[in-house]
Amino acid sequence: MKFLPTSLRVPAITLLLIATCGLAVADDVPRAIEQALSTAQQEKRGVNLYIGGQVIPGLVVRVEPGQWVELRNQQFSRIVVRLDRIDAVAQP
């Protein structure tokens, strides 16, 4: 029993592999952000959080895995951000 003609098998398999790889990368992004924040906390280095087009600079005080990160900076003594809202993290 043939599911796809031979001429469509390679493109179909390629598309399937690309979709699978994309899902694997998407699952690693929150983990990578959390890891970068934990590293910044241990090294006592400042970070810039990019959230919805805004930049929030600060020093990582605490990371609650899978939940939120607490920062402080010169303007605010306590900033709490949900990890799922963070678009990117940069260490200057």
Side-chain angles (χ1 to χ4, degrees):
M1 184 164 94
K2 291 185 176 181
F3 292 109
L4 289 173
T6 306
S7 62
L8 293 178
R9 285 186 188 161
V10 173
I13 292 171
T14 304
L15 184 61
L16 181 62
L17 288 174
I18 290 171
T20 304
C21 291
L23 291 175
V25 171
D27 289 341
D28 291 341
V29 171
R31 204 171 334 171
I33 289 174
E34 191 174 316
Q35 185 178 21
L37 292 169
S38 295
T39 301
Q41 180 184 14
Q42 291 171 356
E43 295 176 358
K44 298 185 181 192
R45 296 194 62 195
V47 296
N48 287 335
L49 298 183
Y50 294 87
I51 304 168
Q54 302 296 315
V55 180
I56 301 175
L59 184 68
V60 179
V61 176
R62 182 175 171 201
V63 178
E64 186 65 34
Q67 299 294 319
W68 47 267
V69 60
E70 182 179 340
L71 307 165
R72 66 179 165 84
N73 62 20
Q74 292 178 342
Q75 187 175 5
F76 299 104
S77 61
R78 186 173 188 211
I79 305 166
V80 178
V81 179
R82 288 184 3 206
L83 290 174
D84 62 343
R85 295 292 186 162
I86 299 172
D87 297 322
V89 176
Q91 291 182 338

